[in-house]
Amino acid sequence: MSSTPHDPFYSSPFGPFYRRHAPYMVQPEFRIYEMNKRLQTRTEDSDNLWWDAFATEFFEDDATLTLSFCLEDGPKRYTIGRTLIPRYFSTVFEGGVTDLYYILKHSKESYHNSSITVDCDQCTMVTQHGKPMFTKVCTEGRLILEFTFDDLMRIKTWHFTIRQYRELVPRSILAMHAQDPQVLEQLSKNITRMGLTNFTLNYLRLCVILEPMQELMSRHKTYNLSPRDCLKTCLFQKWQRMVAPPAEPTRQTTTKRRKRKNSPSATSNSNAGNNSAYNKKKLPAASLNLSNQVPVPT
């Protein structure tokens, strides 16, 4: 079946500039595919502006990213805001990763009024490491995404719960160093912790301090105040919110239905009507008695 100009995927023979755009409302899982393609275009020269553009394309302005996993010293949970998300992805590559992509299997979608939730219990984050040695790390867990239900379809919340991970070393490298016990011992050691590099873990620990300071940094950038003045202003506003009494809920005044009172004129009219009816009923009997009376002779 040949494509026609009415087909949204019609390709004009005059070149790509005459092609109609396909409708963008697609499945949310396709957005993860687009994000993987965008990460593949990253180069060693990608600066902070590139990462900011990446986060703007796929994350909402008030988006949050949460990672949950368990280390040797107990369970961990880190949540970062939108301003710290670009730096999080860049730290993944700074730890020796050359490629990063996500694989979603058997995901479930639920549609709401203003958002779409994607729940994938079999999500795999694949990272290809070039240093300290060539290793492929597969980090498995549950990924829950909330997208905005609009044309941009950006991520509002990202929650990745890591369950397990695997580090895969090619057989060719093992065969190459089969006679070197020191190299084999080094290859047997893990290069990540729960699939995350030390660069990323250190950044997440730092975000615990940076996240509460976002209000100070935003105020300093907006009003050009000194750090001390920003701290005083934020503390004063927080104190005002604590001291201010809570707003009382507005009570709805219940309107009682008033009984309708009859006016004197209406009462008199009704009474007159009743009396007239009564008289009409009594009149025939009274007239009958008067007509049948016989005069008594004197």
Side-chain angles (χ1 to χ4, degrees):
M1 182 177 180
S2 61
S3 59
T4 62
H6 300 286
D7 187 358
F9 300 98
Y10 169 71
S11 178
S12 174
F14 300 103
F17 298 102
Y18 293 88
R19 184 179 304 169
R20 291 182 58 186
H21 292 285
Y24 188 73
M25 193 59 67
V26 295
Q27 293 183 354
E29 191 173 341
F30 186 74
R31 288 292 284 162
I32 302 301
Y33 171 77
E34 290 182 334
M35 190 178 70
N36 293 336
K37 297 289 289 184
R38 183 72 68 247
L39 289 173
Q40 291 179 1
T41 62
R42 182 204 65 91
T43 61
E44 296 295 334
D45 299 331
S46 298
D47 53 2
N48 294 332
L49 295 177
W50 191 93
W51 287 110
D52 289 337
F54 165 80
T56 303
E57 182 180 358
F58 295 99
F59 289 89
E60 282 288 323
D61 296 337
D62 57 346
T64 57
L65 187 146
T66 303
L67 290 176
S68 302
F69 49 89
C70 188
L71 295 179
E72 296 83 3
D73 54 347
K76 305 294 180 181
R77 180 188 175 98
Y78 297 98
T79 301
I80 60 177
R82 166 63 180 80
T83 55
L84 302 177
I85 291 177
R87 181 63 179 158
Y88 161 75
F89 282 96
S90 64
T91 56
V92 175
F93 292 91
E94 291 176 2
V97 175
T98 58
D99 195 8
L100 166 66
Y101 57 93
Y102 293 85
I103 301 175
L104 277 63
K105 293 183 179 180
H106 308 294
S107 60
K108 300 178 181 179
E109 301 175 0
S110 57
Y111 293 81
H112 310 282
N113 292 332
S114 60
S115 63
I116 306 174
T117 303
V118 177
D119 190 349
C120 182
D121 194 57
Q122 300 181 23
C123 175
T124 304
M125 180 182 70
V126 182
T127 53
Q128 190 71 52
H129 295 251
K131 57 182 181 180
M133 61 192 68
F134 191 81
T135 309
K136 182 179 181 180
V137 181
C138 299
T139 308
E140 302 174 356
R142 180 182 182 183
L143 180 63
I144 301 177
L145 301 174
E146 182 183 358
F147 292 86
T148 55
F149 199 4
D150 55 10
D151 295 337
L152 297 178
M153 198 178 289
R154 296 189 298 182
I155 300 172
K156 190 175 181 63
T157 58
W158 172 299
H159 190 179
F160 187 36
T161 304
I162 300 175
R163 286 193 295 262
Q164 61 182 357
Y165 73 105
R166 294 171 296 155
E167 297 187 0
L168 309 177
V169 180
R171 291 179 178 269
S172 58
I173 296 181
L174 295 177
M176 189 183 305
H177 304 282
Q179 305 299 327
D180 194 343
Q182 294 182 354
V183 177
L184 291 178
E185 184 180 359
Q186 186 179 2
L187 291 174
S188 63
K189 296 180 180 179
N190 293 334
I191 63 175
T192 64
R193 298 176 64 186
M194 292 303 294
L196 303 175
T197 62
N198 290 329
F199 279 83
T200 303
L201 288 175
N202 293 333
Y203 177 71
L204 292 175
R205 297 189 188 101
L206 184 62
C207 287
V208 177
I209 303 174
L210 292 178
E211 189 65 33
M213 296 178 61
Q214 292 301 309
E215 186 177 357
L216 295 176
M217 292 186 286
S218 176
R219 189 174 297 275
H220 170 70
K221 185 177 180 180
T222 304
Y223 301 102
N224 197 17
L225 298 175
S226 63
R228 184 181 295 272
D229 293 338
C230 292
L231 181 60
K232 287 182 180 179
T233 306
C234 292
L235 291 177
F236 179 72
Q237 291 183 353
K238 183 173 291 187
W239 176 80
Q240 280 184 328
R241 290 193 294 265
M242 294 174 60
V243 174
E248 296 183 358
T250 57
R251 297 180 180 178
Q252 295 182 354
T253 57
T254 58
T255 58
K256 296 181 179 180
R257 297 184 62 182
R258 298 179 60 183
K259 293 183 179 180
R260 185 176 180 182
K261 295 182 178 180
N262 296 329
S263 59
S265 60
T267 306
S268 60
N269 293 335
S270 62
N271 293 334
N274 293 335
N275 294 334
S276 62
Y278 178 79
N279 294 334
K280 289 180 180 178
K281 292 180 182 179
K282 294 297 183 179
L283 280 176
S287 60
L288 179 63
N289 293 334
L290 289 175
S291 63
N292 293 334
Q293 283 183 355
V294 177
V296 178
T298 54

